[in-house]
Every structure is written in C-alpha cells, then in structure tokens.
Amino acid sequence: MAERKPLKVTDLTLRDGHQSLFATRMKTEDMLPIAEKMDKVGFYSMEVWGGATFDVMTRFLNEDPWQRVLLLKEKMPTTKFQMLLRGQNLVGYRNYADDVVDAFVEKAAEVGIDIFRVFDALNDERNFIAAFKAIKKCKKHVQGTLSYSLTESRLGGPIFNIDYFVQKAKIIEDMGADSLCIKDMAGIISPYDAYNLVSGLKTNLTIPVHLHTHYTSGMGSMSCLKAIEAGVDGIDTCLAPFALRSSHPAVEPFAVTLQGTPHDIKFDLELIAEIDEYLETIIPKYISFADTTRFSVIDIGVLMHQIPGGMISNLVSQLKQAKAIHRLKEVYEEIPKTRKDLGFPPLVTPTSQIVGVQAVFNVIAGRYKMISKEVKDYFYGLYGKPPVAVNEEIRKKALKGYEKGEVPIDTRPGDILEPELPKAREALKGITEDMGDILIYALYPMTGLEFLKKKYGL
C-alpha cells in the first residue's frame, strides 16, 4: 500500500454550512449541545466564524460574536478553530484602515481563532499585506486564498488558466502563507479541472493545498475526489444535514470512500450519526430561511452561466422589485459584458453584488445610463486591481465628477485610508471601552451601534 497520507478535513457546518443554507441564522445555543462530540470526530480544523456570521449575529441574532468563539472553545479544546477573513474587508463590505485590521486580528486570535483563511475578491495580493502581517504577529496560521473564477464553462482561456492561479499562489507563498486554499465559492470547479489545478499547485508550491468548493452545481464531491487523487492536502466538508445544495460536500461519504486508501480519514461514523441526529432536530427552527423555490438539489444555472447561486437569487429579487423579472434572460446575457468592462473580477462578495447590480441597471435603464456608487468606487481603485484592464471609456464616464477625483489610484487601497479606531472610540465614549465593542462599531457603525445600545440597555 502507498505511503499513508491522511486527508485533512475542515468542517464548515458551524459557519459556511448554515450561511449557505439558512442565511447564517444558526444560534450559539444550538451549537453548544453538540460541540463536545464534534471535537471528538478528528477534524483538522473547524470553521466557526467569519464571513457573514459577525454581521448577522449583531444585526439579527442580538448575539456578541466574540462570545461565540469563547463559548465554543470551552467545549472544543482540541480542534483548531478557523475563520474566513475577507482581506482588508475583514468581515465587512468595504476596505478598512490598517489599524482596524491589526486590532481585529489580534482580538480574534485572543478569543481563540487559530487559522485565518484570508481571501480577496479581486485576487489582489496587496489587500493581504496588513492581514498577513497582523496574523504573523499573533503567531497564528495564515491560509492564503485564491478566489477561483472562470470566464467559460471550464478552466482555461486567456485569464483564469492554470498559469494564472499558479503565479498568484507563488506570490501568496512568498508573502508568508502557511497553507493555500482554492476557494471555489460558486461550486464551478469541475472534477478534471480540480485534478489539473491541484497537480499544478503541488508541483510549484511547498506549502499544503486545500480545496473549498460548494455543492451548488452538483460537482462538489467529484471535484474533491479528483483533488484527493491529485494530492490535495485538505478538503472542506459539512455534516450531512447541513451539506449539499448551495452548501458543501458531505463528510460521511468520504469516510467510507477513502477507507483502505492512503488518505483514509478514519472517522467514526457512529459518532457522526449521533451528531447528525441532533442537527436534524434543530433544522425546523431554521427551515424558513432555506430556499424552497425548487426541489432539485443542484442549480444547473450555475453550470450554464458560472454565476454563484446567491448572486442569481439577488438578481431575481432586484428584478422583481423593478417589476422586470421577464428580463432575467437579458441580465444573464449582460453579466459577462459588464464583468468584462470591469476587468473580469471573480464573482464573490462584494464583486458579485457590484457586477450584478450594474448589469441590472444596464438592462433596465440602458448601458451605463445609471452607474452605482460601488462601480464608481471600483473604477477609482478602492477595491484593488482587477485581473485585467478595465474598459477605459466606461471608467472615464463613471469617474466624471466623482467626489474623490477623476484619476484612479494605483496604490494599495489601504494606503489611502486614515486610521479609524480613534473615531470609533470617540463615538462610544461613555458607553464602552471594550476593544471587541469598538471593533463592532468600526465595522458596522449603524447596525453595530444599535446592537451595543441593546447590549448595554441604552
């Protein structure tokens, strides 16, 4: 038998699983009863935080996000905790100043985050600089991330080809990343492309490589298996009740599939079955947040358009509001054109929203007759540098009379931002001096302040 190389499995149930299926609404009180059993499974790490959890907890659940990590850590002392960090965007929707990045990473490390998976929507490595530095300072694990994207149905073409991803990965490794993640947020990586990409990365990198994909297109488990054959070091999965659909491959089939192979994960299915039974009992609380518009477990629209499922649902709701749902096909045709104008950004938060909203405007009002504020910010360079050059004519149109100037910046977006913590401290004077609270306000001044007023009974 070949040399044993057990696969590292990261469980996403308590973060991306419920974010994908139930609008991030899972409460800490429903996580704690099963935490000790989950700690015994043998996961390499558990993603418990980051992404939309921070925003949803303060905005809708009236829960302190910092407390969730502390409470879970008490029940799960063994398994490494992981979070998703949107580079300079942290867990928000814009770039924050470096002082906020430093303080946020320090606080996250203090409450118990061990591995920081850091991505940037444009794959602009300059947006990693502050976060990587802060994570290294805290002596925690930096997982640098590639936002996986396509311009056609399969990997290749002039932009998103193997060479593009390998070159980006080498830059990330040189910046000090401890591991690399291929982040396929739309579930569009096909099995043979996963095999070829992982092979290319393993040939060129010395750090471990992980694959994160969603089940949206139906290819997720096949792609993970081909990645394993190519030598991937780790994959992301969910426990079965929180898996599949727009979530992730389920872990249980891998426990059986890999038995007797060098990658055998040796998980106890009896123990996992007990956890699954518990999760089934809490799902009725959250089922109202699930997408019940179709019976199919997969969304073939993703295979046809390479548009993430969440982006499709946003487009549909936008068109319904404008009483223009009959123009959805036109929007599908417009998205690749708008995306080309913007320099082919990968379609992930926040760029998927930026491209989607502008494509709808272009269809309803005429091309670039209306330009969103976000598109103006994007053309100015506030989000970073896109994979290829933007449409210069449209950039000039967008920046005409733009408040910050008509000439785009070419520096790292973080370099033009003034420190933000002093203002946040000042705004909370007399309410709180706690750094966790100050960061909540700095990230979300309106909804964060509402949460803090409730927290302190104001």
Side-chain angles (χ1 to χ4, degrees):
M1 188 167 145
E3 181 193 349
R4 184 161 150 68
K5 188 197 172 195
L7 186 70
K8 292 172 178 169
V9 179
T10 294
D11 176 75
L12 309 176
T13 305
L14 301 184
R15 204 287 296 177
D16 211 356
H18 70 100
Q19 180 170 323
S20 298
L21 296 181
F22 306 120
T24 330
R25 290 309 200 276
M26 193 180 187
K27 293 179 175 172
T28 308
E29 67 187 34
D30 288 327
M31 300 176 181
L32 294 174
I34 208 63
E36 286 172 18
K37 281 185 178 172
M38 287 182 77
D39 198 31
K40 291 179 183 150
V41 172
F43 294 118
Y44 165 69
S45 62
M46 268 188 266
E47 191 185 71
V48 297
W49 215 56
T53 55
F54 208 95
D55 183 19
V56 171
M57 288 179 75
T58 53
R59 190 190 297 250
F60 299 115
L61 304 184
N62 198 28
E63 283 191 38
D64 188 322
W66 308 104
Q67 281 300 310
R68 175 175 290 180
V69 189
L70 289 165
L71 292 167
L72 286 172
K73 201 71 169 177
E74 279 174 25
K75 303 245 180 204
M76 301 196 221
T78 311
T79 311
K80 293 189 191 89
F81 275 12
Q82 186 166 317
M83 79 163 289
L84 181 69
L85 194 78
R86 300 174 181 144
Q88 200 80 18
N89 284 13
L90 299 175
V91 286
Y93 307 101
R94 65 170 178 87
N95 281 330
Y96 295 94
D98 290 347
D99 64 335
V100 181
V101 175
D102 289 346
F104 184 91
V105 167
E106 191 179 324
K107 185 70 182 172
E110 182 192 307
V111 294
I113 300 297
D114 304 295
I115 300 170
F116 291 79
R117 176 176 286 172
V118 189
F119 83 94
D120 178 67
L122 293 176
N123 287 327
D124 183 348
E125 58 278 354
R126 299 173 306 170
N127 288 331
F128 291 151
I129 293 170
F132 277 26
K133 189 178 168 190
I135 298 160
K136 287 284 182 193
K137 190 177 158 194
C138 295
K139 296 185 167 49
K140 298 295 182 180
H141 182 113
V142 175
Q143 188 168 93
T145 305
L146 296 167
S147 292
Y148 185 77
S149 196
L150 299 173
T151 54
E152 39 216 73
S153 59
R154 292 284 302 272
L155 181 61
I159 303 165
F160 299 112
N161 49 45
I162 288 177
D163 189 54
Y164 167 86
F165 288 114
V166 167
Q167 293 313 315
K168 285 285 178 189
K170 284 163 81 172
I171 291 168
I172 289 168
E173 181 177 48
D174 289 345
M175 288 174 76
D178 300 295
S179 61
L180 181 97
C181 173
I182 305 160
K183 180 175 166 57
D184 171 29
M185 50 279 161
I188 54 177
I189 195 167
S190 64
Y192 292 108
D193 288 344
Y195 183 91
N196 293 334
L197 179 55
V198 169
S199 300
L201 291 169
K202 290 300 291 177
T203 304
N204 286 279
L205 302 180
T206 59
I207 56 176
V209 176
H210 294 248
L211 175 62
H212 166 100
T213 186
H214 288 251
Y215 207 81
T216 324
S217 67
M219 297 190 288
S221 297
M222 294 188 288
S223 297
C224 283
L225 194 57
K226 290 304 290 182
I228 292 164
E229 288 176 9
V232 86
D233 297 277
I235 62 167
D236 287 3
T237 60
C238 281
L239 293 159
F242 278 53
L244 309 190
R245 301 189 183 273
S246 57
S247 180
H248 309 271
V251 69
E252 294 83 351
F254 284 103
V256 174
T257 302
L258 298 173
Q259 275 174 10
T261 74
H263 312 291
D264 193 342
I265 53 179
K266 296 190 182 300
F267 284 180
D268 178 353
L269 273 180
E270 295 286 334
L271 172 63
I272 292 177
E274 289 173 26
I275 301 169
D276 288 354
E277 277 174 35
Y278 167 80
L279 291 173
E280 289 287 354
T281 67
I282 62 161
I283 281 177
K285 294 184 187 182
Y286 303 110
I287 201 75
S288 65
F289 295 104
D291 178 5
T292 53
T293 54
R294 62 165 67 83
F295 183 69
S296 173
V297 174
I298 67 168
D299 180 354
I300 68 157
V302 174
L303 294 170
M304 288 156 54
H305 309 291
Q306 292 81 56
I307 296 168
M311 186 176 169
I312 292 171
S313 54
N314 283 345
L315 294 172
V316 168
S317 93
Q318 219 188 323
L319 285 168
K320 277 181 181 166
Q321 280 172 0
K323 296 189 170 41
I325 191 66
H326 59 287
R327 304 191 73 177
L328 183 61
K329 189 169 184 287
E330 290 172 71
V331 173
Y332 279 144
E333 287 163 5
E334 174 58 32
I335 282 171
K337 296 173 192 168
T338 305
R339 194 176 170 212
K340 184 181 180 184
D341 293 337
L342 270 63
F344 288 106
L347 296 176
V348 60
T349 304
T351 47
S352 52
Q353 290 90 328
I354 293 170
V355 170
V357 168
Q358 189 58 51
V360 170
F361 284 176
N362 286 354
V363 167
I364 290 173
R367 297 203 86 228
Y368 300 103
K369 294 280 193 296
M370 283 168 67
I371 300 177
S372 75
K373 178 191 177 294
E374 288 73 19
V375 164
K376 291 176 183 180
D377 291 346
Y378 178 96
F379 276 127
Y380 186 67
L382 290 188
Y383 290 92
K385 188 181 176 188
V388 295
V390 301
N391 182 318
E392 205 47 57
E393 193 184 323
I394 289 160
R395 169 147 72 188
K396 276 184 186 150
K397 187 174 181 178
L399 293 183
K400 192 171 182 190
Y402 177 69
E403 61 197 32
K404 290 186 171 66
E406 297 191 0
V407 179
I409 59 166
D410 58 4
T411 56
R412 180 182 76 102
D415 287 338
I416 67 163
L417 299 173
E418 295 291 326
E420 295 180 53
L421 286 182
K423 277 183 190 164
R425 274 200 183 90
E426 187 61 37
L428 296 180
K429 221 176 199 173
I431 300 175
T432 174
E433 291 177 9
D434 176 78
M435 181 49 81
D437 292 336
I438 291 166
L439 284 161
I440 288 170
Y441 177 84
L443 291 165
Y444 319 113
M446 288 171 73
T447 57
L449 185 59
E450 285 305 307
F451 167 76
L452 293 170
K453 281 179 178 172
K454 280 185 215 156
K455 179 177 172 180
Y456 292 106
L458 298 170

